[in-house]
Amino acid sequence: MKHLVGKVITKKYSFMDDEVEVRKLSVSEVFKVQELVKKSSKKSDDASQLGLLRDVIRLAVVGAENLSDEDFDQFPLGELSNLSNNILAFSGLGNSEAGN
């Protein structure tokens, strides 16, 4: 099993009539997301919720790690939300049907 440490599992998801490649989050990344969710839930404003979406997508989507906040502002909110939900489900959080 040691040979599997660090192995990255990916899956493609539809995003804006195209595809993006999503990495399954590691245990440490899932814990990081859970901390981000806790911080975000303490603030109920839209900006912190959008910040959470950005952070999750930057962590998991191949090639998204260097997107600026301004880049994210160019995407439709519904598309970002759906992608974030797919990421969380794929990594074992949230709706289990989206990850299968």
Side-chain angles (χ1 to χ4, degrees), residues 1 3 9 12 19 22-23 30 32-34 45-46 55 61 65 71-72 77 80 93 96:
M1 197 156 133
H3 68 284
I9 300 170
K12 292 189 178 182
E19 284 188 339
V22 172
R23 291 181 318 99
V30 167
K32 183 176 181 178
V33 167
Q34 288 175 333
D45 63 328
D46 292 338
D55 290 339
V61 176
E65 53 278 342
D71 291 332
F72 276 98
L77 184 58
L80 293 172
L93 300 167
S96 61

Side-chain angles (χ1 to χ4, degrees), residues 17-52:
D17 293 330
D18 206 337
E19 284 188 339
V20 293
E21 188 173 14
V22 172
R23 291 181 318 99
K24 186 173 272 195
L25 299 175
S26 67
V27 172
S28 62
E29 290 170 325
V30 167
F31 286 146
K32 183 176 181 178
V33 167
Q34 288 175 333
E35 284 301 313
L36 292 169
V37 168
K38 283 180 191 175
K39 287 179 187 177
S40 177
S41 67
K42 291 178 184 175
K43 302 175 187 173
S44 60
D45 63 328
D46 292 338
S48 61
Q49 296 300 316
L50 185 56
L52 178 61

Side-chain angles (χ1 to χ4, degrees), residues 42-94:
K42 291 178 184 175
K43 302 175 187 173
S44 60
D45 63 328
D46 292 338
S48 61
Q49 296 300 316
L50 185 56
L52 178 61
L53 282 176
R54 291 174 180 146
D55 290 339
V56 167
I57 291 169
R58 282 184 183 124
L59 267 176
V61 176
V62 175
E65 53 278 342
N66 295 322
L67 288 176
S68 69
D69 289 352
E70 292 76 23
D71 291 332
F72 276 98
D73 290 346
Q74 302 304 309
F75 297 122
L77 184 58
E79 291 285 325
L80 293 172
S81 182
N82 287 339
L83 181 58
S84 178
N85 288 336
N86 285 332
I87 290 166
L88 296 175
F90 182 50
S91 297
L93 300 167

